[in-house]
Amino acid sequence: MRIACVGGGPSGLYFAVLAAIRSGGRDEIVVHERNPAGRTHGFAVTFGEDLLDEAFRYDPAGGPALRDAARLWSAQEIRVADHPAAHVGGKYGYSIARVELLDVLARRAQQLGVRIEYGTTAGRDEVDADVIVAADGIASSVREARAEHFGTTIDEGANRYVWLGAESDSDTFVWDFQRTDAGWVWIHLYPSSNGLSTCIVECEPETWAGLGLDGAPPADTVRLVESVFGRTLAGRRIVEPPGGLGEQPWLRFKEVRNRTWRDGEVVLAGDAAHTTHFGIGSGTVLAMQDSMALADALYGPGRGGGATGGAATGGGARVDVVDLNDPDGRGAALAAYDARRRAQVTPVQDMARRNMHWFEQAGRQLDRVEDPVDFAWSLADRRGDLGRIHYQLHRATQIPALRQVRRGLTTARRVRRAARRAATGRPEGDGA
């Protein structure tokens, strides 16, 4: 079988890895990436334990490289104006520079015999393959060529945001909300694996216009952020993204949805299929889980398949192995991927939309803040999925001694999960 992945981001590269493993090297797999090797956008991406567990199960030889390249952050603080910082307990995660993640995946894919063609663009009509995975991002050219068939809708959020970096090496994930003469502006700052932190700046449209950012040169954005968030940055320099900020660095979030993810031999994956607001940090996780689900649909649950607690394969339901040399068999597998995975992602997008709306109304809450701990709770529960017991734990976490106890328990759980992952072992003859 011939497989073409259009787009060398996390979804395209990871599916190429899994397809190479599942096919035992029998399938011809090519990744077409428009950028040169080593060039990408943005700074760091985040993920949690669940993705690591899945990565170790789906590719025991490659999973450790992902963990080794990632950076752990183990605390989270929420700062509002001059109030004392509030703490969110039990929260930790992993961050990795996007360029390093792509390097890890690309090296693993090439080790398995995948051909990566950098600096090439490929539309549907330019690719000769039995399966075409359109993983070419939010502005997917493959999807846009048949947008009516896919039923693509793109809705924009109201707020403005800009993606920056900062010369910060802290292990703490920080939210900082500060008032300006034109309204509230906030950042979330989290560490990366390459000595830089990702710094996403966001504000409501009225604030953005009131600060004159709608017509200001990009350098004014950098000066504003360094000035407004001086306490958190502590003199550390803001870094522009690769390629610079451009003429208009401030963006509006675009939520991509599709009525179907399949058109004949073409399937969508990653941001080409769906986007979720950056406030929940799920984009890379969902993209790689798309790859797992597609590998399961085509090849049947292999090592790790169906064992993800429903994250990738729909509750562990069995996926029938089909004859991939038969076009009807391939079509049935792609249709199964479309139906199952789209149904799983839709609730996540709904949750992410609630998160986006929370930020679009954040200024109203911030104007009334008297207790930063309660505001921090509202932020933590912005998706509406926490209960009363979590609120009580949140209040207790503000006490330093109890916060240390909770962090100790979290660390113990993390160590146990890491030990379970290590026990998966490495297949003989398949060095990473």
Side-chain angles (χ1 to χ4, degrees):
M1 182 170 64
R2 293 166 302 167
I3 296 173
C5 298
V6 181
S11 186
L13 284 173
Y14 197 54
F15 175 70
V17 167
L18 298 183
I21 292 171
R22 297 288 183 87
S23 71
R26 292 182 298 274
D27 290 342
E28 177 187 341
I29 306 165
V30 181
V31 176
H32 302 274
E33 169 54 40
R34 65 178 177 268
N35 289 322
R39 179 181 296 177
T40 187
H41 62 274
F43 289 92
V45 297
T46 62
F47 57 89
E49 295 281 16
D50 288 346
L51 182 70
L52 275 181
D53 288 348
E54 292 167 338
F56 272 66
R57 284 194 293 259
Y58 275 75
D59 179 14
L66 175 61
R67 173 62 190 95
D68 291 345
R71 170 76 178 271
L72 172 72
W73 53 266
S74 55
Q76 191 171 120
E77 292 183 0
I78 298 170
R79 303 170 183 174
V80 179
D82 294 327
H83 292 285
H87 301 270
V88 178
K91 290 285 188 181
Y92 71 94
Y94 301 91
S95 301
I96 183 171
R98 182 179 168 86
V99 67
E100 292 191 23
L101 171 62
L102 298 185
D103 181 61
V104 167
L105 297 179
R107 283 190 284 109
R108 181 63 174 144
Q110 290 169 327
Q111 180 188 59
L112 292 165
V114 173
R115 189 168 83 250
I116 304 176
E117 297 185 353
Y118 289 104
T120 62
T121 57
R124 175 177 182 165
D125 296 336
E126 302 167 299
V127 176
D128 182 18
D130 299 307
V131 173
I132 300 173
V133 183
D136 50 342
I138 189 171
S140 168
S141 60
V142 177
R143 184 198 67 221
E144 286 305 294
R146 293 292 307 279
E148 184 175 347
H149 168 84
F150 288 114
T152 306
T153 59
I154 301 179
D155 295 325
E156 288 192 323
N159 282 1
R160 293 282 182 163
Y161 75 96
V162 60
W163 211 291
L164 300 168
E167 292 180 339
S168 173
D169 201 30
S170 171
D171 288 332
T172 300
F173 190 124
V174 176
W175 296 87
D176 188 2
F177 297 80
Q178 294 295 326
R179 189 198 296 272
T180 70
D181 292 340
W184 290 89
V185 183
W186 54 90
I187 59 173
H188 61 275
L189 185 75
Y190 57 88
S192 183
S193 55
N194 60 354
L196 292 177
S197 287
T198 293
C199 179
I200 303 176
V201 190
E202 186 179 7
C203 62
E204 295 175 15
E206 296 80 8
T207 303
W208 173 72
L211 290 170
L213 296 169
D214 49 346
D220 285 5
T221 288
V222 173
R223 284 193 290 269
L224 172 78
V225 174
E226 290 178 338
S227 172
V228 172
F229 300 100
R231 180 181 64 167
T232 290
L233 293 173
R236 290 167 292 203
R237 188 172 64 92
I238 287 293
V239 179
E240 296 186 10
L245 285 169
E247 293 184 5
Q248 180 45 267
W250 291 83
L251 308 173
R252 293 169 63 188
F253 172 73
K254 293 181 178 180
E255 183 196 67
V256 174
R257 298 196 187 215
N258 290 279
R259 184 180 60 247
T260 178
W261 294 6
R262 185 210 170 195
D263 179 18
E265 77 279 20
V266 177
V267 288
L268 306 178
D271 283 354
H274 51 77
T275 58
T276 53
H277 189 266
F278 50 84
I280 69 168
S282 296
T284 298
V285 172
L286 292 174
M288 293 178 67
Q289 287 178 340
D290 289 348
S291 304
M292 298 173 194
L294 182 55
D296 283 348
L298 283 168
Y299 297 100
R303 178 164 184 153
T308 65
T313 60
R318 182 177 184 274
V319 180
D320 292 330
V321 179
V322 298
D323 181 3
L324 298 180
N325 294 314
D326 175 14
D328 291 338
R330 291 195 300 271
L334 298 181
Y337 160 76
D338 172 29
R340 289 180 177 136
R341 186 62 183 151
R342 186 160 35 85
Q344 292 155 10
V345 170
T346 296
V348 182
Q349 286 193 287
D350 292 341
M351 180 176 63
R353 180 175 283 191
R354 292 195 296 274
N355 156 89
M356 181 179 71
H357 289 162
W358 186 94
F359 283 107
E360 290 176 348
Q361 301 172 32
R364 302 177 193 176
Q365 285 198 64
L366 287 161
D367 285 338
R368 302 191 302 268
V369 167
E370 295 181 0
D371 182 357
V373 176
D374 277 344
F375 176 80
W377 168 251
S378 177
L379 175 64
D381 192 35
R382 61 192 180 279
R383 297 173 296 189
D385 56 349
L386 300 179
R388 182 67 184 174
I389 185 63
H390 296 98
Y391 175 74
Q392 293 169 342
L393 283 171
H394 173 69
R395 299 295 310 191
T397 297
Q398 310 313 308
I399 301 171
L402 296 180
R403 184 162 64 250
Q404 286 300 110
V405 169
R406 192 172 183 187
R407 287 189 66 178
L409 293 172
T410 300
T411 299
R413 289 196 301 271
R414 186 175 68 245
V415 170
R416 285 197 299 271
R417 288 188 74 162
R420 287 199 299 269
R421 283 196 296 269
T424 60
R426 298 172 186 261
E428 291 184 6
D430 189 14

